[in-house]
Amino acid sequence: MIEKMSRSHDNVLGFRVSGDVAREDYEILEPAVQEIVDQSGSARLLLDMSDFRWEKVEAWGADLRFGQKCHRSIERMALVGHHKWEKLLARLAEPFYAQQAQYFADVEQAWDWLDS
């Protein structure tokens, strides 16, 4: 499941990613990011993956299309979590999903980085 966080503001969007992510979840993420990009020219994105379990195979295409479409428009992507593999995701995010990507164990530090 992907749900927008209430702390989102201006061109900074936060999303809580929990459980299993399905193709339909990208129908929440992509339009929200595109709306901010249309308004501001770019977006900064926080993905709190602390409760993330897995992405369903059916969602992989939507995930790749999102990265392909939004890569140049996402200035910064902060990935928040508590596992080593999430650090790897942050490294992979930079060439495919965002101009800059960074892993954080603390959500407050992630918001601060996106706001700076």
Side-chain angles (χ1 to χ4, degrees):
M1 175 192 307
I2 296 176
E3 53 189 340
K4 188 174 176 182
M5 299 168 77
S6 62
R7 188 167 172 180
S8 300
H9 63 281
D10 304 319
N11 74 330
V12 180
L13 294 170
F15 292 91
R16 189 167 291 104
V17 183
S18 60
D20 293 333
V21 173
R23 184 182 69 242
E24 298 81 29
D25 291 312
Y26 286 90
E27 294 171 11
I28 295 167
L29 180 65
E30 188 175 335
V33 172
Q34 190 61 53
E35 180 181 354
I36 293 303
V37 168
D38 290 346
Q39 292 172 3
S40 303
S42 66
R44 294 181 175 202
L45 192 58
L46 183 147
L47 298 175
D48 184 346
M49 301 180 69
S50 301
D51 296 322
F52 172 71
R53 201 168 82 200
W54 190 248
E55 183 173 70
K56 295 181 180 180
V57 173
E58 67 183 35
W60 292 355
D63 188 339
L64 292 172
R65 281 188 298 279
F66 172 77
Q68 197 172 38
K69 181 178 180 181
C70 296
H71 174 257
R72 295 194 197 312
S73 303
I74 298 175
E75 287 179 34
R76 292 183 177 187
M77 179 182 285
L79 291 155
V80 179
H82 305 292
H83 300 97
K84 287 183 181 182
W85 61 267
E86 292 162 336
K87 290 181 185 180
L88 176 60
L89 280 181
R91 282 191 248 146
L92 292 172
E94 202 161 290
F96 298 106
Y97 294 93
Q99 295 170 33
Q100 295 178 45
Q102 204 164 3
Y103 167 83
F104 296 88
D106 180 78
V107 71
E108 291 304 319
Q109 289 178 344
W111 283 112
D112 289 345
W113 181 68
L114 291 173
D115 286 331
S116 65

